[in-house]
Amino acid sequence: EFLISEFLIEAMDKEHISVRKLAKETGVSASMIQKLRSGKNTNISINKLVSLISTLHYRIKIEKIGA
């Protein structure tokens, strides 16, 4: 199971980036990032999620499964 909170905590730690800096670079509010990190909010638009992920040097890959 993919948890946004765990991903953000780990990725931000690896990149040595603060909530404030990530917010500034992505345009996603610091309060939204804090809520995502704490698991209090998991509702985020795909655009905001892609912005966070790409700033942390990751990408989303969508693949068709099955036939």
Side-chain angles (χ1 to χ4, degrees):
E1 178 178 333
F2 177 79
L3 296 175
I4 294 173
S5 58
E6 290 178 8
F7 166 77
L8 281 177
I9 291 167
E10 185 176 324
M12 289 174 69
D13 186 52
K14 284 182 181 177
E15 292 296 321
H16 306 288
I17 190 169
S18 68
V19 170
R20 276 195 161 156
K21 185 173 182 185
L22 185 59
K24 184 177 181 180
E25 291 184 16
T26 62
V28 178
S29 72
S31 64
M32 167 69 93
I33 295 169
Q34 284 288 64
K35 288 176 184 174
L36 289 167
R37 283 174 50 104
S38 69
K40 292 181 181 175
N41 186 359
T42 56
N43 186 15
I44 183 172
S45 73
I46 191 74
N47 290 340
K48 288 181 181 178
L49 182 60
V50 168
S51 181
L52 289 170
I53 288 174
S54 63
T55 300
L56 293 168
H57 304 109
Y58 288 84
R59 67 176 171 208
I60 294 176
K61 184 176 181 181
I62 299 173
E63 294 181 343
K64 182 175 175 26
I65 56 173

